[in-house]
């Protein structure tokens, strides 16, 4: 899923640009949006859902004839983006979230230090949407396990699948001799992508294997956060488990991704790739 945020001061045209981008991106795939509304409460405490929430429910879901709305505690833009990816969106457009690491389009002048700005556009203008859409398509993919499973269920030949198996690698904290506080992964992006494609294509040639999806994150990853996803669809479980194990071992040994352990006692590079 490609993610972009539109930020700017009041009356710069943020909502206008978001709605126009939704219209254009909807021609290419499924689009979800998120809007930062930090000073608002969406569920009135006098409504039934508000009373449910205030009584201590961790999550309240309201269902109407045309809408499904979920209200959760401990909100964050990261959770919102994960939810959009889990729902199978191809694009996510965020209005606001200037303090997040998301790639951003800035409308008008901003006198704040904002990270990961990929474009600056005039406020309330006749923007070149084709150019903006191409910029969004160039952004890195935001991937969740649920998104990969949704994608693999849409693969041609799914009628022959008897099982879908997945592996999720996470950041292990207790490593017997040391405790990990953070991992950093670096890669040669083109070489890593080519290696992953090669592994996928070769595993898919095995008997009974219908599809294989692989995603390995790079950058800084915190304890217990996800590192790598592998999803395999196969006709039979014996084929599935063997292919899943082989894919994992090949990703670890063949893909040029390097891991740096950040521990309480110091940092060091781990020589096996994953």
């Amino acid at each position: 899923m490609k993610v972009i945020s539109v930020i700017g001061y009041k009356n710069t045209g943020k909502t206008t640009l978001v709605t126009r981008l939704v219209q254009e991106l909807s021609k290419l795939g499924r689009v979800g949006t998120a809007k930062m509304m930090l000073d608002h409460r969406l569920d009135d405490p006098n409504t039934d859902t508000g009373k449910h929430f205030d009584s201590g429910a961790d999550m309240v879901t309201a269902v109407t004839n045309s809408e499904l709305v979920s209200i959760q505690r401990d909100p964050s833009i990261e959770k919102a983006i994960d939810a959009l990816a889990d729902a199978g969106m191809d694009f996510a457009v965020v209005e606001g979230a200037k303090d997040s690491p998301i790639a951003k389009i800035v409308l008008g002048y901003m006198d704040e230090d904002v990270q990961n700005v990929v474009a600056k556009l005039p406020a309330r203008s006749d923007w070149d949407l084709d150019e903006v859409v191409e910029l969004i398509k160039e952004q890195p993919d935001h991937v969740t396990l649920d998104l990969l499973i949704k994608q693999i269920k849409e693969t041609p030949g799914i009628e022959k699948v008897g099982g879908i198996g997945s592996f999720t690698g996470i950041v292990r904290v207790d490593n017997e001799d040391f405790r990990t506080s953070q991992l950093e992964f670096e890669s040669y992006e083109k070489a890593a992508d080519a290696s992953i494609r090669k592994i996928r294509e070769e595993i898919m040639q095995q008997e009974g294997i219908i599809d294989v999806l692989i995603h390995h994150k790079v950058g800084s990853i915190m304890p217990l956060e996800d590192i790598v996803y592998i999803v395999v669809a196969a006709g039979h479980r014996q084929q599935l488990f063997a292919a899943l194990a082989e894919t994992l071992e090949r990703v670890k040994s063949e893909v040029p991704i390097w891991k740096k352990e950040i521990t309480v006692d110091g940092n060091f590079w781990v020589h096996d790739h994953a």
Side-chain angles (χ1 to χ4, degrees):
M1 181 181 75
K2 305 295 185 181
V3 184
I4 196 72
S5 172
V6 177
I7 66 171
Y9 293 135
K10 191 174 181 179
N11 295 323
T12 53
K14 297 188 297 295
T15 301
T16 300
L17 179 56
V18 168
T19 55
R20 293 181 65 186
L21 285 175
V22 169
Q23 292 170 351
E24 293 301 313
L25 293 169
S26 294
K27 301 173 185 176
L28 305 175
R30 292 165 291 191
V31 184
T33 68
K35 180 176 173 62
M36 299 299 293
M37 303 176 64
L38 300 181
D39 298 324
H40 296 75
R41 175 169 174 171
L42 295 177
D43 60 328
D44 189 310
N46 295 317
T47 63
D48 290 343
T49 54
K51 293 175 182 178
H52 293 181
F53 192 73
D54 289 344
S55 69
D58 289 307
M59 182 173 182
V60 177
T61 301
V63 184
T64 74
N65 290 332
S66 59
E67 298 170 315
L68 175 67
V69 180
S70 294
I71 303 164
Q72 302 179 47
R73 299 188 184 278
D74 302 320
S76 70
I77 190 60
E78 291 78 16
K79 288 182 180 179
I81 292 172
D82 281 348
L84 293 174
D86 288 347
M89 297 299 106
D90 299 299
F91 301 95
V93 184
V94 179
E95 183 174 340
K98 64 181 176 65
D99 296 325
S100 74
I102 303 168
K104 300 174 186 68
I105 298 171
V106 176
L107 294 183
Y109 170 75
M110 291 194 73
D111 58 2
E112 302 175 52
D113 185 18
V114 179
Q115 60 175 313
N116 202 10
V117 174
V118 296
K120 295 182 178 180
L121 301 178
R124 307 191 70 84
S125 178
D126 185 18
W127 304 290
D128 185 342
L129 292 183
D130 289 340
E131 185 175 303
V132 178
V133 167
E134 288 303 314
L135 179 66
I136 295 172
K137 289 163 62 177
E138 293 172 359
Q139 299 311 308
D141 287 315
H142 183 90
V143 175
T144 64
L145 178 60
D146 281 355
L147 175 60
L148 294 182
I149 292 174
K150 284 183 180 295
Q151 290 176 347
I152 213 164
K153 285 184 175 180
E154 296 172 356
T155 192
I158 190 66
E159 301 87 356
K160 300 178 181 179
V161 170
I164 296 172
S166 69
F167 171 84
T168 301
I170 68 172
V171 177
R172 180 174 52 227
V173 178
D174 188 349
N175 290 275
E176 296 183 1
D177 296 332
F178 60 90
R179 290 182 64 82
T180 297
S181 56
Q182 183 179 330
L183 292 181
E184 292 183 2
F185 290 91
E186 295 183 2
S187 72
Y188 295 135
E189 184 175 355
K190 291 184 178 180
D193 289 347
S195 180
I196 286 174
R197 283 196 303 272
K198 180 174 182 290
I199 294 170
R200 176 176 183 261
E201 291 167 358
E202 292 179 356
I203 296 294
M204 286 178 61
Q205 292 175 9
Q206 297 180 9
E207 182 179 359
I209 304 302
I210 308 302
D211 203 356
V212 179
L213 296 179
I214 305 165
H215 178 74
H216 199 302
K217 297 181 181 181
V218 295
S220 297
I221 306 179
M222 303 306 292
L224 304 182
E225 289 185 345
D226 298 345
I227 303 169
V228 59
Y229 303 125
I230 299 172
V231 182
V232 176
H236 300 281
R237 63 183 182 276
Q238 296 89 346
Q239 298 162 334
L240 189 158
F241 294 139
L244 189 60
E246 181 181 347
T247 302
L248 172 61
E249 295 308 315
R250 290 189 61 178
V251 168
K252 288 176 63 69
S253 63
E254 298 177 22
V255 179
I257 297 177
W258 293 272
K259 178 173 67 176
K260 185 177 185 180
E261 291 271 2
I262 311 297
T263 78
V264 294
D265 298 317
N267 309 331
F268 60 92
W269 288 98
V270 180
H271 293 297
D272 63 3
H273 294 314

